[in-house]
Amino acid sequence: MNHTKGKWKIAKSGNYVFKLCIVAEDGGSVCHITDWSEAESNAKLISKAPEMLEALKSMVLCSNYEEAKKLYGNSPSHWTRTVESLLKEIES
């Protein structure tokens, strides 16, 4: 799967058509948010996509505690906390 790597963040758009945009760590534009009524909620969700993808990949790769410790030194509860943290950021 190809996508813009790294963390994404929310930025104000300089264009009057778009309220917000999502930018990558390198400053490149990932997307523009046009729905003004739900722009902030949509931007929060979209901006966390790379982190959610990594958490999901990790959970699938390490479906049990022993595999998790061997590969990453973390238990599955590590990913539970990661997902809970992401959800809290998205829903705030």
Side-chain angles (χ1 to χ4, degrees):
M1 168 191 256
N2 287 333
H3 64 86
T4 305
K5 303 295 184 206
K7 289 190 175 191
W8 298 351
K9 65 180 182 177
I10 302 168
K12 293 204 182 277
S13 177
N15 185 314
Y16 73 92
V17 175
F18 307 116
K19 180 169 184 176
L20 299 169
C21 60
I22 306 299
V23 294
E25 285 179 319
D26 65 5
S29 177
V30 174
C31 72
H32 294 275
I33 310 294
T34 59
D35 182 350
W36 284 71
S37 64
E38 297 176 343
E40 289 185 32
S41 295
N42 290 337
K44 285 180 182 180
L45 180 59
I46 294 166
S47 70
K48 295 301 176 187
E51 293 168 81
M52 289 189 288
L53 178 61
E54 288 306 311
L56 290 170
K57 284 180 180 178
S58 296
M59 284 188 225
V60 169
L61 288 173
C62 297
S63 59
N64 70 53
Y65 178 76
E66 290 306 315
E67 287 180 50
K69 284 201 65 93
K70 184 169 61 175
L71 291 173
Y72 297 105
N74 296 316
S75 69
S77 65
H78 166 77
W79 294 294
T80 301
R81 288 189 304 273
T82 299
V83 171
E84 287 172 344
S85 175
L86 287 169
L87 289 171
K88 188 175 182 177
E89 290 180 53
I90 290 166
E91 295 174 339
S92 67

